[in-house]
Amino acid sequence: VQLVESGGGLVQAGGSLRLSCAASSSIFSINTMGWYRQAPGKQRELVARITSGGRTYHADSVKGRFTISRDNAKNTVYLQMNSLKPEDTAVYYCNADYGNDDWGQGTQVTVSS
């Protein structure tokens, strides 16, 4: 499945962004959809994931600030990001895990202090 992220940009600390990940085909049966991020000089890390049944996981660093959700009817996964911090600055990637492991091209999020 092809994944296209959108919604990134430049925001001040304390602000909000909503990222979207649009899939080229149905995500209804995809076991896990996730958001990862990679900051300059750092490894890619898991931010949040959501199962087909709606169970979610959020990394400790974003818990209480970020929320992952999925709309199977729109074949889209979202990441609502509130109370953004400069350390959230990274390229954010969408991932589909269904036996295959598909990635989007990424969207840049920059948080200024």
Side-chain angles (χ1 to χ4, degrees), residues 1-6 20-27 30 32-36 75-77 92-98 100-107:
V1 62
Q2 291 182 324
L3 304 171
V4 179
E5 301 98 334
S6 62
S20 299
C21 170
S24 60
S25 58
S26 174
I27 65 170
I30 293 180
T32 304
M33 300 290 298
W35 285 97
Y36 290 72
N75 297 327
T76 301
V77 179
Y92 284 70
Y93 297 91
C94 182
N95 171 262
D97 180 6
Y98 58 110
N100 286 354
D101 197 24
D102 293 336
W103 295 88
Q105 83 289 347
T107 186

Side-chain angles (χ1 to χ4, degrees), residues 20-51:
S20 299
C21 170
S24 60
S25 58
S26 174
I27 65 170
F28 180 79
S29 60
I30 293 180
N31 183 48
T32 304
M33 300 290 298
W35 285 97
Y36 290 72
R37 67 186 181 187
Q38 187 166 19
K42 295 187 177 181
Q43 290 188 331
R44 190 173 297 188
E45 63 176 358
L46 174 65
V47 176
R49 61 175 179 244
I50 184 168
T51 69

